[in-house]
Each structure stands twice: as C-alpha cells, then as structure tokens.
Amino acid sequence: MERDLQRLTTTVSNRDLDRYDRQISIKDFGERGQLRLKKAHVVVAGIGGVGSAVSMYLAVAGIGHLTVIDSGKVELSNLNRQVLHWEEDLGSNKAKSAAAKLRQLNTDIEVTSVEESIEANNVSSLLQGADTVVDCLDNFSARYALNDAAVKLNMPAFHAACFGFEGRVTTIIPRITPCLRCIYPRGLQLEKVPIIGSIAGTIGNIAATEAIKFFVGLEPTLKNKLLIYDGQRLIYNLVNISRNPECPSCREMRIK
Amino acid sequence: MKVKVKFFAQHREAVGKSEIELNIEKTEGTTVARLYEALVAKYPGLAKLSRITLAVVNYNMVNEWEMVKDGDEVAFFPPMGGA
C-alpha cells in the first residue's frame, strides 16, 4: 500500500535527468519513458547467465524496483557466464550475490533479493505486486510454474533461454500471445545445458530491451514471435507462433 | 518432392548439420510428423528427441499433422530451457 502510494507520487528528479540523459534523449523515450521505468517493479527469476545480463541492464536503465530470485549457490562452473557472480562469491546465494552488485551499479533503485526456488506453491506470492517478470530460469518445471502464475495474474512475461551458441526470446502477454506451454507443451529436462556466456548475455539483453520497450510504451517486437538466435552462424530468425486453443495454462483466459 | 530441413540445438548435435535438403516421395498426406519419422530413419540420433515440441514451416509454427509441400522450409526446435 505504502509502495503503491509512493509509486503514484514518483517523479523524475534532477539527478535522474542527469543520470539517464543519454536514454531520455532517445526519440520516443523522453522523461515520460524514464518515469515509467522508475515506477516499474520487475522480477528477474533466476540469476544465472541470462538473469545476470537482464538484471544489470534493467538496473542501469533505472527500473525503480528489481526483485531477483534464486535459491542456488555460486559454483566455479557458473563463472563462465554468470557475470554478476565473482570468485569471491563462491558458495554464496546467487540472489544475494546479484543484489549486492546491482545495488552498487545503481543506488537510486530498490533491489530485493529472494533466496527461494520457484515452485508452483510459492510463485504467485513471489510475483505479487510486480508489473512483469523475466523468465531466466534453468529448468522447465520452474519455467512452467512461473508461466502458469504469470498467466493467472495477467502479468506480461519475457522468456529467454540458451543452448550452446543458440538462444530464444519471446514476449508473453496473457490472453494476447501464446504462453510458454503453447510453444513447448512438454519440456526437456537436461542435467547440464552447454552455454557460452556471450550468448547468455546477448539473449538476456534482448529480453531486457523488450521489457524496457514495454514500459516505455513502445510495442514489444516479440509479441507472437519467437526469436531464434544462432550465434554460431550469426543468424536471427523470427518465427510466427500461435496460441494453442487447448493450452492447459492459458486456454480459459481466451477472449471469446 | 524436395524440402529444406533446418536443425537447432540438440537436433543439430544429433544430425551433425544445421540444414539438409530432403527428397521424399510425394505421397498423399506427408505431414510434419511423417517427415520427422523419415528424418529419424536417416538420423537415428533424432529418435530419442522424437517429441516434436515445436515444428515450424516457412517461419510459421504448425501442428504435427500439418501437410508439407514441395519447396517448404521446415525447422524443428527442441524445447530450450537453459540460462
């Protein structure tokens, strides 16, 4: 309640005008766009390679409130891609490690860390009060739980995933676009996914750009489209995706 | 008929190529599912990934019972969940 009131009365300060000058000067962005970012609350689910890039660029863009969620601990084999976690963080919780860096990147925003794993029974409460969520999780059971909750809460979600030199991104607007279960009715559980950090960064930044465009009031490009990025051959493909009328997650919400 | 087939992620690893041209006998009812079966016969490594979760023809997501025509470009995308 207090936060809602705070958000209503938020304005762009002189410091904001200075700090974000280079993006405020983008045509179609302006002070209005900056104010919208400042009022935004975004959840970044999973602070691995993709989540590191997403949360860093949302933080420096001035998203007013970032919540980072991850129950995992930093391991040596994470450091090839999870750039928010450093050698000194080995063994620490990832949400905590990420939040500490994000607060240093931008002291003007609020950063909340949640040291929990996303599951069907807690995800709705974790998303409560946020405007959007970026799905940077590393397994399908958590991704499906997040998807189902976002659809129920009518919350836009940005999906980003990687494999090797490849990555995929889409923007999910419940009732308007396909949800994750429409695209992949069944997930594939892998023990260990091969990933190079630069691809996780590229994919995370595309998802962050989609989120920023959404808040600023520019049309997200990846509505009803799945971006397929093939970094090995340097090809971007846009595939037209469609809703599954039988989708167990979003079918009830279909506009008749 | 001739179709171009593109492979991604684990499919690409199983096939060892990012795309191929496939000549298939034009029978009535060459569906995406049947095309995938023909691919499994040619590349047995695809068998363990046989669930066609996302099939795309000419850049449009399709159902597995969708028909494939001469000259189509077909792509299969195994689910991707890493980060």
Side-chain angles (χ1 to χ4, degrees):
Chain A
M1 191 67 181
E2 197 182 318
R3 189 169 279 153
D4 288 345
L5 206 64
Q6 212 177 350
R7 277 216 262 181
L8 275 175
T9 55
T10 299
T11 54
V12 174
S13 66
N14 284 335
R15 181 176 160 89
D16 293 333
L17 290 176
D18 190 10
R19 176 172 202 132
Y20 306 112
D21 175 50
R22 298 291 281 269
Q23 62 199 48
I24 288 171
S25 63
I26 298 173
K27 192 177 171 292
D28 300 331
F29 196 105
E31 275 185 53
R32 193 159 166 261
Q34 195 59 50
L35 182 61
R36 287 176 169 189
L37 293 190
K38 193 171 183 177
K39 288 183 172 183
H41 179 189
V42 179
V43 172
V44 182
I47 306 295
V50 175
S52 288
V54 168
S55 55
M56 280 197 295
Y57 280 94
L58 292 183
V60 296
I63 293 286
H65 186 185
L66 273 181
T67 296
V68 292
I69 307 177
D70 205 308
S71 67
K73 287 192 164 41
V74 180
E75 295 171 21
L76 189 60
S77 64
N78 299 150
L79 303 188
N80 80 314
R81 64 194 186 283
Q82 304 186 7
V83 295
L84 270 184
H85 313 307
W86 305 342
E87 288 185 11
E88 67 190 34
D89 304 311
L90 289 170
S92 304
N93 169 266
K94 289 188 188 179
K96 206 172 156 188
S97 155
K101 317 312 187 317
L102 295 168
R103 290 185 189 114
Q104 287 180 70
L105 276 174
N106 194 343
T107 55
D108 296 340
I109 63 166
E110 186 179 347
V111 180
T112 306
S113 65
V114 178
E115 302 178 30
E116 280 185 56
S117 58
I118 289 190
E119 281 156 28
N121 60 9
N122 67 353
V123 60
S124 291
S125 64
L126 293 176
L127 293 181
Q128 215 54 252
D131 300 304
T132 66
V133 59
V134 191
D135 170 12
C136 311
L137 294 159
D138 65 356
N139 67 88
F140 266 97
S141 64
R143 283 183 186 270
Y144 283 141
L146 185 73
N147 175 75
D148 297 348
V151 167
K152 267 200 193 117
L153 294 166
N154 202 20
M155 180 182 289
F158 303 91
H159 165 82
C162 294
F163 180 98
F165 278 100
E166 295 177 40
R168 297 181 198 164
V169 189
T170 191
T171 294
I172 299 169
I173 314 282
R175 284 189 272 189
I176 309 280
T177 73
C179 77
L180 186 66
R181 284 191 197 268
C182 296
I183 307 168
Y184 308 121
R186 290 167 301 244
L188 203 60
Q189 211 57 50
L190 296 177
E191 284 270 308
K192 189 173 74 177
V193 178
I195 302 178
I196 173 83
S198 58
I199 298 291
T202 302
I203 289 305
N205 281 318
I206 291 169
T209 306
E210 282 290 286
I212 288 167
K213 279 154 60 181
F214 169 79
F215 283 112
V216 170
L218 299 169
E219 184 75 356
T221 315
L222 297 175
K223 273 164 69 175
N224 297 309
K225 290 188 191 299
L226 179 65
L227 174 85
I228 314 280
Y229 174 57
D230 178 349
Q232 198 167 347
R233 302 170 78 213
L234 202 53
I235 296 170
Y236 287 90
N237 288 311
L238 279 178
V239 167
N240 298 311
I241 49 175
S242 39
R243 296 186 65 198
N244 173 9
E246 307 297 321
C247 176
S249 187
C250 71
R251 109 192 119 188
E252 297 88 342
M253 302 193 59
R254 198 148 202 212
I255 296 168
K256 298 230 167 87
Chain B
M1 65 175 181
K2 230 183 231 183
V3 292
K4 188 189 269 185
V5 185
K6 291 187 168 179
F7 300 105
F8 293 86
Q10 297 98 314
H11 283 157
R12 187 177 291 182
E13 289 185 343
V15 172
K17 290 174 189 167
S18 58
E19 62 177 70
I20 59 160
E21 272 215 333
L22 193 68
N23 271 305
I24 42 173
E25 206 180 312
K26 191 167 182 174
T27 53
E28 276 194 32
T30 303
T31 59
V32 169
R34 194 163 285 180
L35 171 70
Y36 194 85
E37 283 169 22
L39 288 166
V40 170
K42 204 170 156 78
Y43 303 103
L46 288 175
K48 61 177 171 21
L49 302 163
S50 66
R51 292 178 305 187
I52 306 168
T53 313
L54 175 56
V56 169
V57 176
N58 303 329
Y59 296 91
N60 294 305
M61 177 179 173
V62 294
N63 291 310
E64 61 182 6
W65 55 84
E66 201 94 11
M67 301 303 232
V68 180
K69 305 181 308 294
D70 185 45
D72 275 350
E73 189 178 297
V74 184
F76 295 104
F77 298 95
M80 187 178 282

